[in-house]
C-alpha cells in the first residue's frame, strides 16, 4: 500500500531543502486542474457523497488559489519590480493541510467498516490525489501526482468496463499525458499538445494490441478485495412493486448470441433467473438451499445435474446453443432458457433449473448454454418438494383462499383451474401498469379484488397464491422476458450472405426494463408448466414486448434523457444507439471476454504448438514493426512538409515555362543561372526572350524575395499574365 | 586508494577514451545516432514499475481493460523513447572558431556562445558542463532552451572562475527530457573550449610601490603618473583616434603638416622591469594580482616594461602594446 502513503509522507517532503525551483505555467496549472476533475469524475460513482463534497471543496479552493496566483503574477509582471524576488505564489500553510489530511483519513477509517476494503482504498487514493495538488513543491511531487492520477483511472476501470466508459477513460488518459507533455513543451498550445499525445498513443496501439493478444495471461497472484458495489438487477425476494421499479431502468442486463442464428419467437424468451418458492404473506423469497441437495460439493451437484438434465430425455434436434454475456450485477445469478445444460465449470446448475456463477459477477461474464425448450421440467418430484410448493402462511389473503377453494370444486383438473383464473383476469377489468397503487401489507386480496391494477409480479404472485390455495403445487419465477434484437453487430458482408441463407445474425440485448415475473405449476406427468398471467392482462407484452401503454409509462417515469426510450423517438438516434450497442457487444465479447482459454485456442491456431520462444518472437517482431511505424510516420510527415514547400504555385508555372522551352529544344541546365539562361535564349529565340524575361523576373521576385502576402498575390497575378503572354509568343513560332 | 576507487577511475578513463574516439573534438556537432545516448530517468523507472503494478492489478482482478491499459502504457514507453530520440537528433550545435578560447580575469564572468541550428522544432534542450574543473563554476540556470525554433538559436554558457590558470572546459553535456520526462536523451560534445584566467587585478598604490623601489639596490623605479613632465620627448607619431588632445603637437598642426601627437620616453633611459619579488605581499597570489594590475596600468599609459617572475629564464623582455600585455598576463596566469 505504498501508494497510499503519500499523505503521511508529506511532511518529510516539505521539509527537504529544494535545490531546483519548481513551478508550473498558468496554462499547465489549469490543465492539471481540469485533468484532476476528470479523474475524480471517472471514479465519482464509487465515492460516497461526503468524500465527493470534500474533494469538490478542495478543487474549488485550488481553483481560487490558481486564479489568485494568475492575477498576482500578471500584476508583478506589469509593475516589473525586480527588486522583490519573493514568489507571489499563494500556499496553504502545511499545518492546516496536515490537519485536513489527518481529519480526512480519520473519516475514511471510521467509515471503512461500511465501505469495505476496496472502496476505502479508493477513497483514500482519491483524497490523497485531491490534496496532493496543494503541494507541488518539486518535480517529484508533480510526477507523483501524475502517477496517482493514472492509478485512479485504472481503479475506476475495476468497477466499470463497458465500451463507453473505456472511451471516457481513454480521454482521461490523453488529458493526463497532455499535462505531463505540457510541462516539457511550455510554449505549445494545448491543442497541439493533445495532438502530439494522440499521435504517440496511436503509434503505441499496435504493440499494445499484440501484447494483449499474445502476452501470457496469468492467473491471479493473490486474493484481492472484490468490489462490492450495489447489486443491480433482480433480487432474491420479490414484493409486489419491486419488478415494476426495476423495469423503469434502461440499463443493460445481458446480451445473447444464438450460434445457429435462429432466435426463438419472442414469447418463448423467458430468461429464467430465480425460482422463489417461499411465501410469507408479504414477499416471495428463495428457499434457503437445502444442504442435502444443494451443497457446494461438486460430486453431489454433479449427481443432481445428471439426474435433472439427463441427456437422453432431451431431443438433440431441439438443441438450442447460445452464448450469454452478462453485465456485472454483483450477484451470482445467471440467466437461461430452461431447461439448459452446460459443461462450463464456472457455472452451478441448480435443481430448479436456474444457474449460478461460482464467482460474484463483478465483471462481464460470458458462458455457453444448450437449451431444450420443449422438454419438460422435473416430471417426478419428491413429496416434500410438493409440500413446499403448496405451503401458505395461515390467515393470509382469506378472500383469495375462498376463491381458490371455489375453483377447486369447479375445476378438478389443475390445468383447467389455472385457465379459469387466467380467464377471470382477462375478462374482468384488470390493468397492467408500472405504477401500481400501494397495497396495505402487500395484501394480494386487495390487489385482486379491489385495486385490480398491477405489474407482472402482482399477477404472478396472486396466480401462484390461488394455485397453491387450491392444491396445485406452484411457484414464482423471476427473470427477463424477450429482448431487443440488434442485427448491426455483425459486419455487413457476413450479414448479407447469412441473410441469403435465411439465418439471422446479430444479438439480443436484454435490459432491466425487460424484467419479468411469471409462475409455474406442477402437473402430474407433465412436470412444471410455465403460466404467465401477464399474457392474460396484456398479451402484447408477452408476444412482442411492444406495449404502447407500457412504453408511454416508461417514458413518463424515466427522467434520464439518454435512456433509450427517449432515443427511440427519433429514427436516426435509435439507429445510432443500436450501432453503439452493437459495438459495445463486440467490445464485451472480444475484449472483455478474452480469456486464458481463448488465448490458448487462438495461439494454437496461429502457431501450432505454443512455445515461449514463438511468443517472444512475435512480441519482438511487433516491437520492431512499431518502431518502424514511428520512424515511418516521422519520415512521411517530413516528406509532406518538403513537398508542400517544393510545390509553390509560381514554381509550377516557371517549371511549365521551362518545359515548353525544353520541348522547343532549349533546356536549362541546372547550373546555369536564370540571367545567363536568358542570354542564351536571346540568341536562339530572340522573339521569346522578352516574354520569358518577364516571367523570369516575376518568378525571381516571388521565389527569392521576402514579400508580404499582399505583394505576393499581386506579383503572382502578374506572373500569370506574363505566363499567358509567353504561351502566346511560343504559339507564334 | 581502495580497489573500488581504482576500478572506478579505470572505468572512467576507459569511458573517456572511448568517448574521445566516438565523439572527437570539433567546433561543430550534429546530433545523430552516433552521439546520442538515451537512458530512462528515475521517473521513467518509476513509470515502468507503475506499469508493472497495473499489470498485477489487472491480473489479480482478471480485468482485461486494466491489462490493456498496462500494455498500452508499456508500449507508450517505447514510443516515447523514439520520440525523445527524434526530438533530439538533427540538432546542430556550433561554437564559433574564434570563441573556442576565452580570456578573462578570475572572478569575471565569461561567456561561451553556442549556436544551435535546428531544421525543425525541438523542445527542452539543456546544456550543462559536467566535467568542468572545480576551479570554475557554471551557472546552469541560463543554458537551456524550452523551445528551440527552426533556424539558428544562440545560448551562452556562463562561467565564473575564482582561480587564475588555464583550463579546458571539458565536454558539454546536452540533454533533453522531452517528451514526458521518461527518458533523458543526452550527448557529451567536445568543442575544445578552454579558458585562460588571469589573476584578479589588485590595485596597488603607486607611492607604496615607489617606496619599495627606493630600498632596492637596482634603484629602478617606475612612474605611474604625474611625473610625465620630466620625460624626454622622443618622437612624433600620427594621431590615432582616442589619443589625448593634450599630447597633440599643435605646432605641426598649425603649420598644416598634419595631426601628430608627441611621444615621450622614460627619462631614466633604463628598462622598466616588473618583478614578482618586488611586490609588497607575502601571498604569491596577491603578488600576482598586483602585477596584473601594474601590467594593465602600464599598458594603458603606453609604457615599455618587462616582466620578471621568480627566475630569470621566465622573463618577458620589455615591450609595450596589447599583444605584449597578453603575453605578460598569460605568463601570470600560468605561473
Amino acid at each position: 500500500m505504498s501508494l497510499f502513503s503519500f499523505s503521511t509522507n508529506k511532511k518529510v517532503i516539505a521539509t527537504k531543502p529544494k535545490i531546483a525551483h519548481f513551478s508550473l505555467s498558468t496554462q499547465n496549472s489549469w490543465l492539471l486542474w481540469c485533468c484532476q476533475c476528470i479523474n475524480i469524475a471517472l471514479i465519482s460513482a464509487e465515492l460516497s457523497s461526503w468524500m465527493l463534497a470534500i474533494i469538490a471543496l478542495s478543487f474549488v479552493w485550488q481553483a481560487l488559489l490558481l486564479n489568485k496566483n494568475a492575477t498576482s503574477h500578471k500584476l508583478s509582471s506589469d509593475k516589473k519590480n525586480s527588486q522583490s524576488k519573493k514568489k507571489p505564489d499563494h500556499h496553504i500553510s502545511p499545518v492546516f493541510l496536515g490537519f485536513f489530511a489527518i481529519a480526512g483519513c480519520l473519516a475514511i477509517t471510521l467509515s471503512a467498516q461500511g465501505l469495505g476494503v476496496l472502496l476505502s482504498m479508493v477513497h483514500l487514493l482519491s483524497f490523497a490525489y485531491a490534496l496532493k495538488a496543494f503541494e507541488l513543491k518539486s518535480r517529484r511531487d508533480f510526477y507523483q501526482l501524475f502517477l496517482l492520477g493514472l492509478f485512479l483511472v485504472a481503479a475506476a476501470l475495476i468497477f466499470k468496463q463497458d465500451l463507453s466508459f473505456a472511451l471516457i477513460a481513454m480521454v482521461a488518459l490523453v488529458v493526463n499525458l497532455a499535462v505531463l507533455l505540457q510541462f516539457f513543451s511550455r510554449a505549445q498550445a494545448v491543442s497541439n499538445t493533445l495532438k502530439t499525445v494522440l499521435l504517440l498513443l496511436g503509434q503505441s496501439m499496435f504493440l499494445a494490441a499484440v501484447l494483449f493478444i499474445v502476452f501470457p495471461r496469468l492467473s491471479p497472484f493473490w486474493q484481492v478485495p472484490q468490489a462490492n458495489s450495489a447489486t443491480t438487477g433482480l433480487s432474491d425476494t420479490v414484493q409486489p412493486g419491486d419488478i415494476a421499479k426495476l423495469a423503469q431502468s434502461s440499463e443493460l442486463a445481458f446480451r445473447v448470441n444464438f450460434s445457429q442464428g435462429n432466435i426463438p419467437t419472442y414469447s418463448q424468451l423467458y430468461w429464467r433467473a430465480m425460482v422463489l418458492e417461499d411465501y410469507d404473506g408479504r414477499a416471495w423469497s428463495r428457499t434457503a438451499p437445502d444442504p442435502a441437495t444443494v451443497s457446494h460439493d461438486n460430486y453431489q451437484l454433479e449427481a443432481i445435474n445428471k439426474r435433472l438434465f439427463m441427456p437422453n430425455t432431451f431431443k438433440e434436434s431441439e438443441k438450442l446453443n447460445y452464448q450469454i454475456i452478462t453485465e456485472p450485477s454483483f450477484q451470482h445469478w445467471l440467466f437461461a432458457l430452461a431447461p439448459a445444460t452446460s459443461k462450463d465449470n464456472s457455472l452451478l446448475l441448480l435443481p430448479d433449473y436456474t444457474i449460478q456463477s461460482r464467482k460474484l459477477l463483478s465483471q462481464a461474464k460470458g458462458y455457453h448454454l444448450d437449451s431444450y425448450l420443449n422438454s419438460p421440467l422435473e416430471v417426478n418430484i419428491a413429496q416434500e418438494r410438493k409440500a413446499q410448493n403448496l405451503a401458505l402462511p395461515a390467515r393470509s389473503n382469506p378472500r383469495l383462499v375462498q376463491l381458490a377453494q371455489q375453483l377447486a370444486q369447479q375445476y378438478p383438473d389443475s390445468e383447467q383451474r389455472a385457465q379459469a383464473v387466467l380467464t377471470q383476469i382477462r375478462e374482468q377489468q384488470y390493468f397492467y401498469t408500472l405504477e401500481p397503487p400501494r397495497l396495505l401489507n402487500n395484501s394480494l386480496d386487495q390487489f385482486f379484488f379491489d385495486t385490480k391494477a398491477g405489474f407482472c409480479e402482482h399477477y404472478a404472485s396472486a396466480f401462484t397464491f390461488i394455485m397453491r390455495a387450491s392444491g396445485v403445487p406452484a411457484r414464482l419465477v423471476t427473470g427477463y422476458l424477450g429482448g431487443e434484437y440488434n442485427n448491426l453487430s455483425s459486419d455487413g458482408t457476413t450479414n448479407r450472405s447469412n441473410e441469403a441463407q435465411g439465418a439471422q445474425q446479430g444479438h439480443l440485448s436484454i435490459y432491466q426494463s425487460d424484467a419479468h415475473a411469471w409462475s409455474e405449476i406442477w402437473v402430474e406427468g407433465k412436470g412444471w408448466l410455465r403460466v404467465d398471467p401477464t399474457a392474460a392482462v396484456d398479451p402484447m407484452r408477452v408476444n412482442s414486448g411492444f406495449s404502447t401503454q407500457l412504453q408511454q409509462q416508461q417514458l413518463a417515469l424515466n427522467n434520464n434523457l439518454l435512456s433509450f426510450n427517449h432515443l427511440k423517438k427519433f429514427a436516426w438516434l435509435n439507429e445510432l444507439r443500436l450501432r453503439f450497442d452493437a459495438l459495445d457487444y463486440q467490445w464485451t465479447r472480444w475484449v472483455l471476454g478474452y480469456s486464458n482459454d481463448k488465448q490458448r485456442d487462438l495461439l494454437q491456431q496461429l502457431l501450432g504448438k505454443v512455445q515461449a520462444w514463438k511468443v517472444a518472437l512475435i512480441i519482438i517482431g511487433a516491437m520492431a514493426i512499431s518502431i518502424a511505424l514511428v520512424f515511418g510516420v516521422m519520415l512521411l510527415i517530413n516528406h509532406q512538409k518538403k513537398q508542400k514547400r517544393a510545390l509553390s504555385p509560381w514554381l509550377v508555372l516557371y517549371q511549365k515555362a521551362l518545359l515548353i522551352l525544353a520541348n522547343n529544344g532549349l533546356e536549362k541546365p541546372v547550373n546555369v543561372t536564370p540571367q545567363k539562361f536568358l542570354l542564351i535564349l536571346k540568341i536562339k529565340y530572340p522573339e521569346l526572350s522578352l516574354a520569358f524575361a518577364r516571367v523570369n523576373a516575376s518568378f525571381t521576385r516571388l521565389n527569392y524575395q521576402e514579400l508580404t502576402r499582399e505583394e505576393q498575390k499581386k506579383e503572382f497575378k502578374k506572373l500569370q499574365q506574363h505566363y499567358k503572354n509567353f504561351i502566346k509568343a511560343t504559339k507564334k513560332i | 586508494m581502495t580497489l573500488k576507487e581504482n576500478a572506478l577511475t579505470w572505468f572512467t578513463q576507459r569511458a573517456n577514451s572511448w568517448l574521445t574516439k566516438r565523439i572527437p573534438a570539433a567546433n561543430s556537432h550534429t546530433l545523430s545516432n552516433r552521439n546520442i545516448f538515451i537512458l530512462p530517468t528515475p521517473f521513467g523507472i518509476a513509470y515502468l514499475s507503475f506499469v508493472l503494478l497495473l499489470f498485477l492489478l489487472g491480473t489479480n482482478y482478471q480485468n482485461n481493460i486494466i491489462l490493456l491499459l498496462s500494455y498500452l502504457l508499456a508500449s507508450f514507453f517505447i514510443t516515447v523513447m523514439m520520440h525523445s530520440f527524434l526530438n533530439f537528433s538533427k540538432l546542430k550545435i556550433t561554437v564559433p572558431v574564434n570563441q573556442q578560447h576565452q580570456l578573462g580575469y578570475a572572478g569575471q564572468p565569461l561567456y561561451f556562445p553556442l549556436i544551435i541550428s535546428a531544421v525543425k522544432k525541438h523542445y527542452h534542450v539543456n546544456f550543462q558542463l559536467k566535467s568542468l574543473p572545480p576551479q570554475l563554476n557554471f551557472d546552469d540556470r541560463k543554458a537551456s532552451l524550452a523551445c528551440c525554433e527552426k533556424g539558428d538559436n544562440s545560448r551562452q554558457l556562463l562561467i565564473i572562475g575564482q582561480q587564475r590558470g588555464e583550463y579546458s572546459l571539458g565536454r558539454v553535456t546536452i540533454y533533453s527530457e522531452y517528451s514526458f520526462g521518461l527518458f533523458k536523451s543526452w550527448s557529451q560534445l567536445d568543442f575544445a573550449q578552454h579558458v585562460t584566467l588571469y589573476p584578479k587585478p589588485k590595485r596597488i598604490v603607486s607611492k607604496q610601490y615607489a617606496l619599495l623601489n627606493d630600498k632596492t639596490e637596482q634603484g629602478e623605479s617606475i612612474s605611474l603618473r604625474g611625473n610625465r613632465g620630466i620625460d624626454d620627448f622622443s618622437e612624433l607619431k600620427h594621431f590615432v583616434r582616442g589619443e589625448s588632445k593634450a599630447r597633440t603637437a599643435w605646432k605641426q598642426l598649425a603649420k598644416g603638416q598634419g595631426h601628430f601627437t608627441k611621444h615621450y620616453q622614460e627619462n631614466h633611459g633604463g628598462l622598466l622591469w616588473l618583478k614578482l619579488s618586488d611586490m609588497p605581499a607575502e601571498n604569491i597570489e596577491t603578488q600576482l594580482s598586483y602585477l596584473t594590475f601594474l601590467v594593465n596600468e602600464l599598458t594603458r599609459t603606453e609604457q615599455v616594461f618587462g616582466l620578471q617572475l621568480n627566475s630569470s629564464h621566465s622573463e618577458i623582455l620589455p615591450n609595450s602594446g596589447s599583444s605584449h600585455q597578453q603575453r605578460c598576463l598569460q605568463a601570470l596566469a600560468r605561473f
Side-chain angles (χ1 to χ4, degrees), chain A residues 258-305:
Chain A
F258 289 91
S259 58
Q260 288 107 345
N262 38 359
I263 300 171
T265 54
Y266 195 92
S267 55
Q268 274 187 301
L269 296 171
Y270 277 88
W271 303 101
R272 194 184 187 88
M274 266 172 272
V275 172
L276 310 175
E277 296 182 314
D278 271 7
Y279 184 63
D280 64 356
R282 292 160 151 266
W284 291 87
S285 57
R286 219 165 73 80
T287 319
D290 182 3
T293 49
V294 189
S295 77
H296 284 255
D297 191 322
N298 277 346
Y299 293 102
Q300 271 201 340
L301 263 174
E302 264 178 45
I304 293 165
N305 289 345

Side-chain angles (χ1 to χ4, degrees), chain A residues 472-483:
Chain A
V472 181
R475 60 193 186 183
L476 193 73
V477 184
T478 58
Y480 297 84
L481 171 62

Side-chain angles (χ1 to χ4, degrees), chain A residues 164-279:
Chain A
S164 46
F165 192 76
L167 287 176
I168 295 170
M170 187 71 195
V171 171
L173 177 68
V174 169
V175 176
N176 272 290
L177 290 172
V179 172
L180 193 56
L181 182 61
Q182 187 80 38
F183 178 72
F184 288 99
S185 53
R186 283 166 194 237
Q188 283 283 57
V190 176
S191 59
N192 275 346
T193 310
L194 288 174
K195 244 186 248 166
T196 312
V197 170
L198 281 176
L199 177 76
L200 279 150
L201 276 179
Q203 287 169 339
S204 319
M205 287 296 187
F206 173 72
L207 184 59
V210 172
L211 281 175
F212 182 73
I213 293 167
V214 304
F215 197 80
R217 307 171 75 78
L218 311 169
S219 43
F221 297 109
W222 62 81
Q223 199 67 39
V224 279
Q226 284 296 331
N228 55 350
S229 286
T231 57
T232 54
L234 297 163
S235 80
D236 56 2
T237 54
V238 167
Q239 294 183 12
D242 282 359
I243 294 182
K245 239 178 262 162
L246 184 62
Q248 289 169 26
S249 153
S250 57
E251 246 177 82
L252 185 72
F254 60 100
R255 291 193 178 100
V256 189
N257 178 34
F258 289 91
S259 58
Q260 288 107 345
N262 38 359
I263 300 171
T265 54
Y266 195 92
S267 55
Q268 274 187 301
L269 296 171
Y270 277 88
W271 303 101
R272 194 184 187 88
M274 266 172 272
V275 172
L276 310 175
E277 296 182 314
D278 271 7
Y279 184 63

Side-chain angles (χ1 to χ4, degrees), chain B residues 17-83:
Chain B
S17 68
W18 180 79
L19 256 181
T20 339
K21 234 184 248 173
R22 189 158 175 102
I23 314 169
N27 79 312
S28 178
H29 292 276
T30 304
L31 295 175
S32 69
N33 53 358
R34 253 197 86 73
N35 48 20
I36 295 179
F37 308 97
I38 297 184
L39 277 179
T41 55
F43 172 57
I45 290 169
Y47 174 91
L48 267 193
S49 2
F50 172 76
V51 170
L52 192 69
L53 182 80
L54 275 195
F55 179 74
L56 289 181
L57 190 79
T59 304
N60 274 344
Y61 279 96
Q62 293 285 295
N63 187 318
N64 279 353
I65 302 301
I66 297 180
L67 279 180
L68 194 57
L69 182 68
S70 76
Y71 295 142
L72 182 63
L73 289 178
S75 166
F76 186 73
F77 189 69
I78 294 173
T79 315
V80 169
M81 180 176 76
M82 284 176 298
H83 272 264

